[in-house]
Structure formats: C-alpha cells, structure tokens
Amino acid sequence: GGFCMKRYINRMVHALHMKSVMCMLLAAGILLGGIAMVGPAKSGEVDPIVLALTPHVPIRIDSDTGFNATNGVTGGNGTVWAPWVIENLDINGTGNSSCIYIGNTTQHFTIRNCTLHGANATGNACGIELNNADNGSIFNNIITANNKGIYMSVSSYNSISNNSIHSNNNCGIDFATSCHHNNIGNNTISYNGVGVLLWGSDANDLFFNTIDSNELGIEKDANSITMANNTMLNNSILLG
C-alpha cells in the first residue's frame, strides 16, 4: 500500500510540473506572437523586429550627449557591450538633409529595423549621415527614395549590414572622404545611381553584398579595399 501511494504521489508531482512547463511555453508564445526573430547580431543575441514601426521626426545627434530619448534612443549606455539603440522607426525626411544624422561622436551605437525615406533637401540628403562618427552599426534597415542612402565622411570602424538600400537618386552608399576600416556586408544595394562610392577612404571591406541594377555598381578612388563574394548583377557599368 505504501509503495502504491508513493508512485501515485510521484505521478501527481510530475503532472503538475508538466502543466507548469506548458503554461510557461504558452505564455512565451503569446509574448512572441507579434515579433519576428532574426539574427544573430554582432554580439550573438537574437534581435526582435517589431512588425509595426513608430513614426518619428528626423533625428540629429551632434555629440555623445545627443544619444537620448528625444532623439529616438530606446536603450544602451554607449559601450561596446551595450551600444545606444535607435530602432523600429519610420522616418520621412522630406524637406530635410537627412532622416538620421550622427556627428562628432565616439560612443557605440546601433541603428536597426528602421525605414528611412524621402530626404531630399540637398544633393547629399540621405537616409543616414555619419560625420566624424565612429563605432556604429547600421543593421537591417530599409533605406529608400532619398538622394543618397548612407553618406559618411571622416567616420571609421562602422558596420553596415543586412540593409536594403534601394531607389536612391544619387548613391546607395557614399564614403566621401577619410572613412577607414568600415565593413559593408550582406546588403542588397539596388536601383541607385551609384551602388557604392568610395572616395579617399582606404582599408574598407565589402563582403557578400548583392549590388544590382544600379547605373554604376562600384566606383572607387581608394586603396586597400577588400572585396569578396559580392554578387554584381545588371549594373550598367560594373566598376568605375
């Protein structure tokens, strides 16, 4: 009788444990129901993409102190382990020189999962402009219908990856001058005037990009440019 009672108690404990586990899994499923999981990102974490973007006015950050909530920053502390985060925004740059401008900064930051479009106030008007800004990650954004997609000057040690950069009037990516040790990887760069323009910017890497249907695929006046495993399709001129 004692043995049977012990088996009965063990079965009840096991059943309660399994019920608890199933409840936890159900709750997790509900929480993740509106989120698509992609990744991994640079540090190995899996980044959520919230399906609905939040409209935001164009952002201008002129120093490290500009990384704040008013400028769309939602997390981080500026270190390599916890960069400032700007994410899940829809920014219409019509009438502005950029959707997101970051200048004169040294702290680490990430711009991810945003749609940036319409910047047209000047010839260099762009989805993202980095000016004297290092240590940034531009990841998983849609950058379209600007005069330029990404425009950088005097900015190094940045990563541009997994973005769709298309239908910008002038350039998809433009390194204007003195942009060194940047990585451009796994982007789709299409239907721009020039796909990638590297001017006076040495020691940059281009890997695993699809550069498709631009008037000019890649134009460069720079040294020590490493290019490998890029797919070049339907560009009127391949290299300039």
Side-chain angles (χ1 to χ4, degrees), residues 55-124:
H56 199 283
V57 298
I59 291 168
R60 186 175 182 89
I61 294 171
D62 285 304
S63 68
D64 286 329
T65 59
F67 289 111
N68 54 53
T70 301
N71 287 323
V73 176
T74 58
N77 59 22
T79 64
V80 64
W81 302 279
W84 299 114
V85 176
I86 298 171
E87 64 180 352
N88 303 326
L89 300 179
D90 183 330
I91 300 179
N92 185 340
T94 300
N96 289 272
S97 59
S98 57
C99 295
I100 298 177
Y101 171 93
I102 298 177
N104 306 306
T105 63
T106 59
Q107 295 182 359
H108 294 259
F109 64 90
T110 296
I111 302 169
R112 65 189 182 194
N113 308 335
C114 296
T115 295
L116 308 170
H117 55 96
N120 60 2
T122 67
N124 288 329

Side-chain angles (χ1 to χ4, degrees), residues 153-236:
S153 59
V154 198
S155 298
S156 299
Y157 301 102
N158 296 288
S159 171
I160 301 171
S161 62
N162 292 77
N163 302 283
S164 175
I165 304 170
H166 69 89
S167 306
N168 298 283
N169 294 329
N170 192 331
C171 299
I173 298 174
D174 182 358
F175 287 4
T177 184
S178 300
C179 297
H180 310 305
H181 305 290
N182 299 286
N183 294 310
I184 302 172
N186 203 37
N187 303 282
T188 299
I189 305 167
S190 58
Y191 298 98
N192 307 283
V194 179
V196 179
L197 173 60
L198 305 173
W199 192 264
S201 297
D202 302 328
N204 295 291
D205 299 332
L206 288 82
F207 292 103
F208 295 103
N209 300 284
T210 297
I211 302 174
D212 178 23
S213 300
N214 305 280
E215 293 179 21
L216 174 59
I218 298 173
E219 182 174 1
K220 62 186 181 73
D221 182 5
N223 299 312
S224 302
I225 304 299
T226 302
M227 297 189 292
N229 298 302
N230 298 290
T231 301
M232 308 284 287
L233 299 169
N234 305 315
N235 301 284
S236 298

